[in-house]
Amino acid sequence: DQQVKQNSPSLSVQEGRISILNCDYTNSMFDYFLWYKKYPAEGPTFLISISSIKDKNEDGRFTVFLNKSAKHLSLHIVPSQPGDSAVYFCAASERTQKLVFGQGTRLTINP
Amino acid sequence: GAGVSQSPSNKVTEKGKDVELRCDPISGHTALYWYRQSLGQGLEFLIYFQGNSAPDKSGLPSDRFSAERTGGSVSTLTIQRTQQEDSAVYLCASSFDSNQPQHFGDGTRLSIL
């Protein structure tokens, strides 16, 4: 039973446009959500997080939106840059800090 | 360095051998985690250490897997009698405390022949 799902294995976006990555979860006890970015042969790099008491968190070009009723979160990157090409993982936890990860979405930014 | 350090970066071993993977967390981080990523899969939680508390071992897939954290810093993940399905990238992460984001090392790529 996959508690965190990223239904799009890949996404292609033109440079300068908005990238939207989506994530759904099933466990209503999750109260902390994170996005990580991963390049080949490197560990995941933390991007941005959001607590369940908020519905939006912004950090520069990155914004995470949380819709608790729909059990859905999304990561918006605007404007998209070539260096954003990577695999993006969403993760969730119940504050026990045992993160549950999605399968990842490979984002490709085209010049 | 300032980040989480893992060694070795790559390990190839024969089925049935024991392996030890090492993790040096970020200095001052009290929480330490092990995950693994098998081919084509997401990251799977293995074990979590927080300070002097008993570790959360709920993710360890079998009793062949064990981990320890000595002196509240360095951690070693040991896999005994390795099997081919143990082949994966083993990732270590640390955080300042259990309410802060986890920061990952670059992992150990383990290949069992």
Side-chain angles (χ1 to χ4, degrees):
Chain A
D1 175 35
Q2 206 168 342
Q3 298 185 70
V4 178
K5 296 180 183 179
Q6 294 176 255
N7 292 318
S8 297
S10 64
L11 176 67
S12 187
V13 174
Q14 193 170 1
E15 182 180 358
R17 305 294 289 268
I18 183 170
S19 295
I20 300 176
L21 297 111
N22 293 302
C23 180
D24 296 294
Y25 61 95
T26 58
N27 187 343
S28 58
M29 299 300 292
F30 286 148
D31 57 6
Y32 186 53
F33 304 88
L34 307 90
W35 283 94
Y36 285 85
K37 170 181 177 180
K38 189 179 184 300
Y39 292 120
E42 295 184 10
T45 300
F46 169 71
L47 278 177
I48 192 167
S49 64
I50 187 166
S51 163
S52 60
I53 63 173
K54 295 185 175 182
D55 54 19
K56 176 182 174 181
N57 190 25
E58 196 170 350
D59 184 2
R61 297 186 298 113
F62 302 93
T63 303
V64 56
F65 295 91
L66 176 63
N67 182 333
K68 289 185 289 294
S69 61
K71 294 191 179 68
H72 177 84
L73 68 156
S74 61
L75 174 68
H76 293 210
I77 307 172
V78 56
S80 300
Q81 299 174 354
D84 296 331
S85 294
V87 177
Y88 289 77
F89 290 95
C90 80
S93 78
E94 297 179 39
R95 287 285 180 185
T96 62
Q97 297 311 303
K98 177 174 66 179
L99 291 178
V100 179
F101 283 84
Q103 300 290 84
T105 296
R106 181 178 301 278
L107 175 65
T108 302
I109 306 301
N110 301 309
Chain B
V4 176
S5 177
Q6 291 187 245
S7 61
S9 54
N10 286 282
K11 177 74 176 177
V12 180
T13 193
E14 293 179 349
K15 176 182 171 181
K17 300 286 189 183
D18 297 352
V19 295
E20 284 190 353
L21 312 179
R22 177 187 168 100
C23 173
D24 274 291
I26 294 171
S27 178
H29 280 195
T30 63
L32 186 148
Y33 316 78
W34 284 97
Y35 296 85
R36 74 175 177 182
Q37 185 177 20
S38 303
L39 190 63
Q41 302 295 313
L43 282 77
E44 171 193 16
F45 167 78
L46 296 176
I47 188 169
Y48 158 49
F49 296 88
Q50 172 61 62
N52 294 321
S53 302
D56 176 354
K57 304 180 181 180
S58 61
L60 295 179
S62 79
D63 58 8
R64 296 185 295 104
F65 287 72
S66 62
E68 63 177 21
R69 188 179 185 192
T70 54
S73 181
V74 171
S75 176
T76 303
L77 177 69
T78 301
I79 310 173
Q80 296 178 308
R81 305 180 303 282
T82 52
Q83 304 294 313
Q84 287 188 329
E85 61 263 28
D86 300 335
S87 295
V89 177
Y90 288 81
L91 289 153
C92 176
S94 70
S95 62
F96 182 72
D97 60 38
S98 60
N99 294 314
Q100 297 296 318
Q102 297 172 29
H103 298 273
F104 285 80
D106 286 339
T108 293
R109 181 173 297 277
L110 177 64
S111 300
I112 309 300
L113 302 179

